[in-house]
Amino acid sequence: TEQFKYQKALSWPGVTVPISYLVIAGGGGSGRGTGLVGANGGGGAGGYRTNYTSSAPTPTPKISGGGAAVEAALNITLGTGYTVTVGAGGSGQSGSNGQGGDGSNSVFSTITSIGGGGGSQGTGRNGGSGGGGFGTAGTGTAGQGNNGGTGSGSNYGGGGGAGINGSNGTGSAPGAGGN
């Protein structure tokens, strides 16, 4: 009878339930080098955090970004408001010689994924996954993403991904972004 009363009122005071989540931040924008020579550092992927495991007969854990183990359960209380923010992607560099913008963070309750680092014609920016650069790659955040790649010759590094690092540019080809 108490349950019926709460169902009718659409209110479940004090009931806490575990939920699965996937929180991905906005990716970083691409940098831009000098003139038309070479490629430019790619933006890093937004941070990737999850606690999801498959529902197969034998549950298989998935992974969070950067190869981290799935995270702990998140318990929420029914009828309580929670913060939800969807992070936008960073802007690409439209002028010459500059860094792309960082992606914005995404938030669900107490879970925050860091925006991807912008790519650059110099040093890639740090973020959920690091942006690619020429001399120095951006660093990814532990448990969320991977590092960007560096450049060589006239080609720049790819942005880091949730699963692997961005690859390094070579004398003949730009670096690929991580996945």
Side-chain angles (χ1 to χ4, degrees):
T1 59
E2 283 295 302
Q3 182 179 4
F4 178 73
K5 180 173 89 175
Y6 293 132
Q7 281 180 325
K8 188 173 181 180
L10 298 176
S11 172
W12 292 85
V15 175
T16 301
V17 295
I19 63 164
S20 295
Y21 61 84
L22 172 62
V23 181
I24 301 175
S30 175
R32 182 167 176 160
T34 304
L36 299 175
V37 178
N40 305 296
Y48 176 100
R49 295 183 65 185
T50 188
N51 70 344
Y52 176 74
T53 56
S54 74
S55 57
T58 304
T60 305
K62 304 298 181 195
I63 58 171
S64 276
V70 294
E71 300 185 24
L74 177 64
N75 293 312
I76 64 166
T77 303
L78 299 179
T80 301
Y82 293 93
T83 300
V84 176
T85 305
V86 178
S91 60
Q93 176 55 257
S94 60
S96 63
N97 296 329
Q99 295 179 328
D102 294 338
S104 298
N105 296 348
S106 290
V107 178
F108 176 66
S109 184
T110 60
I111 309 301
T112 300
S113 291
I114 307 298
S120 176
Q121 55 87 24
T123 299
R125 295 183 53 84
N126 300 334
S129 289
F134 189 79
T136 305
T139 302
T141 301
Q144 296 195 31
N146 289 284
N147 300 336
T150 60
S152 176
S154 61
N155 290 298
Y156 294 75
I164 61 173
N165 290 339
S167 65
N168 296 331
T170 66
S172 60
N179 65 2

